Amino acid sequence: MSMKKRVLSGIRATGRLHLGNYLGAVKGMLELQGDPNYECFYMVVDLHTITTPYDKETLKESVQNVVIDYLACGLDPEKSAIFIQSMVPEHVELAYYFSTLVSVARMQHLPTYKEKVKQYPKNVTMALLNYPVLMASDILMYKPQLVPVGVDQEPHLEVAREIARKMNQMYGTDFPEPKRFSTKGEYIPSLKGEGKMAKSVEGSYVNLADTKDEIQKKIRSIPTATKAGGEMTPGIKALFTFAELFLPKKTEDFKKKFNDGTLQFQEMKDAVAEAIYKELQPIQEQRKKIEKDTEYVRKAIEEGAEKAREIARQTVSEVRKKMGLS
Ligand code: TYM
């Protein structure tokens, strides 16, 4: 048995990955995959995807696309278990056991739940309310130390830690209290100068699949100002966030120019766009290759799921015993 520490993360299949997913989550996933002290489990969470309205005709394709994006970004099935959540039905079973310890009020007060209720007032379902419990199950199933996710997922992680504590107290299980593994891009702002980059907000994101021209057009759309200097608006701050992430060496110079009023925003934007494209281009090239190799993708998921199931069976069997069910 390996004594490696574990890592788990997941992304919903709500479309192709964007820069926020890449910088806040995938980069952390890659960093930990490269560390021999960790054993990594990375999912596409299709069961979470269906907690809000979705298209059943295209769900499978969307899931597949996230898997391909994972592989194109550098997740390696030889090093990490890559799988699809619903291939391990134990996640649903464990979530049910966990739900016996979670109050309805606690779930109703979560910011992510409140946001979704506003966004989809006609779809306030049990699955939506239960979202964080299923996520706690995803995580605790593998008893990981670290969860590479963006800062927006912190409230969900807190729920997972609470569940771990309660399970351990009530039933003598040994769930760890996993911590978030953060990256430099743990909070990527929206291109619209308000809030975070999000798939559900049109015009807020750069897709990993965007062409050079699309990226340039999108970065140019960040609301800045005609003149540099003075207090930074949220749009200008967002532009500087991208500069710090993609052009760290030039950012000081941009800032100096901003302060003395000589910064040309268009020039800065085009330099930032170019640098973003430079990072995405190899991923896009890689994706073209992987897309064609359906057998490689199928095998990666099959093997990843097998590895995950083995652990999931153990955890669920242990919980069933401790809870007096078997
Ligand atoms: P999801 O699908 O909304 O987002 C996937 C990942 O991308 C990160 N992210 C961002 N990071 C920085 N800046 C942004 N603007 C930005 N937008 C998205 C998210 O923080 C996340 O890491 N609940 C999860 C999915 C999930 C999960 C899990 C994650 C289900 N079970 C178990 C980890 C472990 C979610 O909705 O992610």
Side-chain angles (χ1 to χ4, degrees):
M1 249 192 69
S2 89
M3 296 308 286
K4 286 187 178 185
K5 292 179 192 162
R6 295 217 184 106
V7 173
L8 176 121
S9 193
I11 295 186
R12 284 175 302 154
T14 43
R16 295 290 300 279
L17 297 191
H18 60 66
L19 218 46
N21 302 138
Y22 176 65
L23 298 166
V26 179
K27 278 215 148 176
M29 291 157 79
L30 284 167
E31 198 178 324
L32 291 166
Q33 168 182 270
D35 185 332
N37 295 313
Y38 291 101
E39 186 182 12
C40 302
F41 294 82
Y42 297 137
M43 306 180 283
V44 180
V45 291
D46 53 349
L47 299 173
H48 280 107
T49 310
I50 65 173
T51 57
T52 46
Y54 74 102
D55 179 4
K56 76 176 191 323
E57 304 301 332
T58 55
L59 179 64
K60 269 192 126 169
E61 192 186 322
S62 308
V63 169
Q64 199 73 7
N65 271 326
V66 177
V67 174
I68 297 172
D69 275 339
Y70 271 168
L71 296 169
C73 289
L75 291 195
D76 178 355
E78 300 270 319
K79 295 184 185 152
S80 303
I82 299 165
F83 62 103
I84 296 159
Q85 186 185 31
S86 67
M87 291 172 86
V88 188
E90 281 84 356
H91 286 229
V92 182
E93 187 177 348
L94 187 63
Y96 180 76
Y97 301 146
F98 284 173
S99 76
T100 62
L101 298 178
V102 182
S103 79
V104 172
R106 174 73 176 94
M107 294 297 98
Q108 284 170 327
H109 286 120
L110 281 171
T112 40
Y113 175 74
K114 288 184 188 164
E115 265 166 42
K116 288 283 182 263
V117 169
K118 253 195 226 155
Q119 213 177 336
Y120 305 102
K122 292 197 179 120
N123 299 279
V124 184
T125 61
M126 288 303 296
L128 190 63
L129 190 64
N130 203 52
Y131 185 115
V133 181
L134 180 59
M135 180 160 161
S137 159
D138 294 341
I139 297 171
L140 298 178
M141 185 73 85
Y142 302 91
K143 303 185 180 173
Q145 269 69 32
L146 293 175
V147 181
V149 282
V151 74
D152 61 329
Q153 297 298 312
E154 194 55 72
H156 289 154
L157 266 174
E158 190 50 45
V159 171
R161 290 190 285 263
E162 272 170 39
I163 292 178
R165 281 197 290 276
K166 278 194 189 160
M167 284 297 297
N168 296 347
Q169 270 163 21
M170 293 206 38
Y171 300 113
T173 47
D174 62 350
F175 290 113
E177 291 185 33
K179 289 195 176 64
R180 189 169 69 86
F181 180 76
S182 59
T183 60
K184 259 194 252 158
E186 63 172 16
Y187 180 90
I188 300 303
S190 159
L191 302 179
K192 298 175 101 173
E194 201 179 287
K196 65 169 183 177
M197 185 175 284
K199 206 50 195 242
S200 54
V201 183
E202 206 39 61
S204 78
Y205 57 85
V206 170
N207 259 327
L208 295 195
D210 283 345
T211 62
K212 195 174 175 186
D213 286 351
E214 280 165 337
I215 296 172
Q216 189 186 57
K217 203 166 141 214
K218 287 181 177 179
I219 296 299
R220 281 187 180 179
S221 81
I222 299 174
T224 42
T226 39
K227 269 216 152 109
E231 183 115 5
M232 281 197 188
T233 62
I236 296 173
K237 277 190 196 151
L239 181 60
F240 271 92
T241 301
F242 289 112
E244 269 155 26
L245 288 163
F246 290 96
L247 282 175
K249 284 187 198 135
K250 292 203 179 150
T251 310
E252 233 0 85
D253 190 46
F254 287 136
K255 225 167 236 166
K256 227 188 276 152
K257 285 186 174 152
F258 175 80
N259 287 329
D260 66 24
T262 60
L263 180 70
Q264 297 291 322
F265 281 109
Q266 182 100 331
E267 247 171 57
M268 175 174 173
K269 284 175 172 175
D270 287 354
V272 167
E274 170 106 32
I276 294 176
Y277 180 68
K278 231 173 130 188
E279 178 144 352
L280 299 190
Q281 194 189 16
I283 298 174
Q284 295 178 0
E285 296 287 315
Q286 195 58 19
R287 193 180 205 284
K288 277 188 212 140
K289 286 187 212 149
I290 294 167
E291 246 167 8
K292 289 191 206 126
D293 200 347
T294 45
E295 183 52 24
Y296 171 71
V297 178
R298 193 198 58 76
K299 206 166 146 243
I301 302 168
E302 207 42 70
E303 287 174 8
E306 199 41 59
K307 212 166 145 196
R309 272 187 218 114
E310 208 182 302
I311 296 168
R313 279 189 213 113
Q314 273 173 29
T315 304
V316 164
S317 143
E318 193 182 308
V319 167
R320 284 175 58 89
K321 276 193 202 113
K322 300 223 156 157
M323 287 183 77
L325 290 158
S326 59

